[in-house]
Amino acid sequence: MGVKLGILGLGTVGTGTVQLLQNSGFRHPLLQSVEIYRVGVRSLDKPRTVTLPESVLTTDLEAIVTDPAIDIVVEVMGGLEPARSLILKAIQNGKHVVTANKAAISRFGDEIFSAANQAGVYVMLEAAVGGGIPVIQPLKQSLSVNSIHTITGIVNGTTNYILSRMQTEGSHFSDVLADAQRLGYAEADPTADVDGLDAADKIAILASLAFSGRIKLEDVYSEGIRQISKTDIAYAEKLGFVIKLLAIANRTTPSSSLSPISVRVHPTLVPKTHPLASINGVNNAILIEGEPIGQVMLFGPGAGAGATASAVSSDILNLVAVLKTSTSVQNSLLKCGHQDYCQIVPMAELITRFYTRFLTQDQPGVIGKLGTCFGNHGVSLESIVQTGFQGELAEIVVVTHDVREGDFRQALTEIHTLAAVDTIPSLLRVL
Ligand code: NAP
Ligand code: HSE
């Protein structure tokens, strides 16, 4: 018996998936029975780079998710609505779902997985995080016996591509962003990439799997890369760091599986010796730390048609295997079972190092005043150096030891009141 797919969307990911499924050279024997039965798009007139029978393309996506002939709905259209409603309707109609839509899953996962569990179908999302990197199934299956305490990831290909090119070529942010869009890495609205929101969606999904609890997206702190300047990239380089947009989820007490977790996305100074420092271009990497496994790093292309199609197709393959096995019991390694929310600590309680760049009057005693303000709030400094001038103003770069973020912010508030301090152009966390 053939397995019929209804694919919602034929853009970068949909086209890559159709190409992969049509290429008999790549086909796993189980995929030989898969039929691309319907593909839903917005416009029938748009030129396409894949050839499909005319009867397959439709603009009626509702008809796809309710069609009794379809077994699996592959949602690669993106966006929140109508994607959410179509996924829910597919589930209500007894269809398994494959989706690459981290935005919809991180916001509506609660509703979607509850509906799927009730309907006895699976919602698979390998392509939603890390593009072509298998990370969802490893967290759900291969690593599930471990007690995970930290996930540190470069999970947005667009921003990693931009930062890497700014670092190696001294390119301008806007030129590199245009290239990322042309190459199909960026979201339809690249704000989600650049402002850290796409990475926040992804770390919420990974944290939920790693810590077996639901995550409210509004609890995930996120900061993007718009403010990263060539000056900071150069200072970071001199100090032995590279700047990366990191998505981090960790237990505040690694040894306690009951301690609250911190979930955040921000540009970070990463020591050049750290494994994540060498991840460049559109590549992503996810470093998973737990017991008894120690450290595992998953690395690969984080965006793009072929890479993402590989992840979508692996989910399709898993579902075909399920459909070919006659059982009415859901496989607990494929389904999403947790119901409760994780306890997230506020950013003020975060313990981290900071890099800060100050522009000040070039007067005697300024460095001493900065040191006093930091000392007043228990902020211990690793280094403080006057590095040069910008016009009349002296440029001072500070790197702290581990501090409580709330204490550091209070010190900065006091520093802002010093007459000698002109501006604080940069404030970045250090890994
Ligand atoms: P895309 O290139 O913009 O393609 C979207 C497709 O969906 C287009 O074919 C569009 O139809 C169709 N579509 C969108 N809204 C529709 C609507 N309301 N009704 C009918 N059709 C609609 O997007 P993409 O880059 O492939 O991304 C798709 C999903 O995969 C997103 O959730 C994204 O976050 C995720 N993802 C993307 C990548 C990547 O590298 N691009 C990687 C991982 C995950 P038309 O063609 O007629 O306009
Ligand atoms: N826009 C996303 C990125 C696509 O750049 O990582 C992959 O999820």
Side-chain angles (χ1 to χ4, degrees):
M1 194 189 69
V3 173
K4 291 187 169 57
L5 300 186
I7 302 181
L8 311 179
L10 191 59
T12 302
V13 180
T15 302
T17 303
V18 168
Q19 272 167 347
L20 187 48
L21 294 175
Q22 283 180 338
N23 187 332
S24 56
F26 294 151
R27 284 169 86 90
H28 184 283
L30 257 186
L31 285 178
Q32 267 156 22
S33 57
V34 168
E35 181 187 347
I36 299 171
Y37 187 73
R38 288 279 181 276
V39 178
V41 291
R42 203 175 347 225
S43 156
L44 292 176
D45 302 327
K46 208 170 178 176
R48 307 284 169 186
T49 53
V50 281
T51 310
L52 288 163
E54 217 170 275
S55 60
V56 168
L57 275 191
T58 175
T59 54
D60 189 352
L61 278 64
E62 184 101 6
I64 296 181
V65 297
T66 54
D67 187 337
I70 288 173
D71 303 290
I72 301 173
V73 167
V74 181
E75 186 278 301
V76 284
M77 61 190 293
L80 299 181
E81 286 292 358
R84 167 189 157 274
S85 304
L86 289 166
I87 291 173
L88 287 170
K89 196 157 265 187
I91 291 169
Q92 282 155 15
N93 281 272
K95 290 159 200 344
H96 297 295
V97 173
V98 173
T99 178
N101 194 334
K102 56 267 169 169
I105 292 295
S106 62
R107 284 162 186 79
F108 311 122
D110 192 353
E111 187 183 18
I112 289 171
F113 290 114
S114 297
N117 290 343
Q118 208 172 351
V121 297
Y122 299 113
V123 175
M124 307 288 280
L125 59 148
E126 190 57 74
V129 184
I133 306 172
V135 60
I136 302 291
Q137 285 313 100
L139 278 173
K140 276 166 100 171
Q141 299 189 358
S142 332
L143 298 172
S144 62
V145 296
N146 289 275
S147 170
I148 292 171
H149 58 75
T150 310
I151 296 188
T152 313
I154 293 173
V155 291
N156 183 268
T158 301
T159 46
N160 202 47
Y161 177 83
I162 293 173
L163 289 173
S164 303
R165 283 194 51 193
M166 285 176 74
Q167 172 110 29
T168 53
E169 300 168 14
S171 312
H172 287 291
F173 174 86
S174 50
D175 295 343
V176 192
L177 174 61
D179 282 350
Q181 287 176 291
R182 188 177 46 75
L183 290 162
Y185 305 154
E187 297 301 307
D189 175 2
T191 309
D193 296 297
V194 170
D195 290 339
L197 309 174
D198 176 79
D201 291 343
K202 291 167 176 171
I203 194 67
I205 292 171
L206 294 182
S208 175
L209 291 169
F211 302 119
S212 302
R214 295 182 170 171
I215 305 280
K216 290 193 186 112
L217 194 58
E218 61 266 28
D219 288 341
V220 180
Y221 174 85
S222 68
E223 206 181 296
I225 65 161
R226 282 184 205 273
Q227 80 283 16
I228 302 297
S229 65
K230 280 161 66 173
T231 311
D232 291 315
I233 288 178
Y235 278 134
E237 164 87 35
K238 271 192 210 158
L239 292 165
F241 297 97
V242 289
I243 299 180
K244 296 287 182 192
L245 183 70
L246 292 191
I248 304 173
N250 64 291
R251 286 228 178 264
T252 46
T253 309
S255 56
S256 161
S257 60
L258 294 176
S259 69
I261 59 173
S262 155
V263 192
R264 53 208 163 89
V265 173
H266 46 72
T268 312
L269 271 74
V270 179
K272 284 182 189 167
T273 49
H274 191 279
L276 289 171
S278 57
I279 309 303
N280 289 319
V282 71
N283 288 313
N284 284 190
I286 299 110
L287 179 66
I288 301 168
E289 296 172 79
E291 297 301 329
I293 186 87
Q295 292 189 326
V296 171
M297 191 160 100
L298 305 167
F299 160 74
T308 313
S310 160
V312 169
S313 304
S314 77
D315 280 346
I316 295 172
L317 183 68
N318 262 307
L319 291 176
V320 174
V322 166
L323 288 164
K324 294 276 174 193
T325 316
S326 56
T327 169
S328 57
V329 182
Q330 262 188 298
N331 178 334
S332 61
L333 291 177
L334 294 184
K335 77 173 195 177
C336 175
H338 44 257
Q339 312 290 335
D340 299 326
Y341 280 91
C342 292
Q343 193 192 343
I344 312 278
V345 291
M347 283 300 279
E349 297 304 324
L350 180 71
I351 306 294
T352 184
R353 290 196 288 159
F354 280 95
Y355 155 100
T356 317
R357 185 160 56 89
F358 298 92
L359 290 177
T360 72
Q361 305 303 324
D362 186 28
Q363 292 168 354
V366 175
I367 287 186
K369 284 180 187 155
L370 290 177
T372 304
C373 289
F374 280 125
N376 289 344
H377 297 277
V379 175
S380 162
L381 303 185
E382 187 177 295
S383 69
I384 180 163
V385 277
Q386 181 167 338
T387 49
F389 289 90
Q390 279 205 19
E392 298 287 294
L393 296 172
E395 200 159 36
I396 296 172
V397 169
V398 167
V399 178
T400 71
H401 286 294
D402 265 345
V403 294
R404 190 181 153 274
E405 176 146 349
D407 295 338
F408 181 78
R409 297 266 175 200
Q410 280 189 356
L412 283 191
T413 306
E414 191 179 327
I415 287 170
H416 269 293
T417 65
L418 296 176
V421 172
D422 183 85
T423 42
I424 307 180
S426 307
L427 172 64
L428 295 165
R429 294 171 191 82
V430 180
L431 196 62

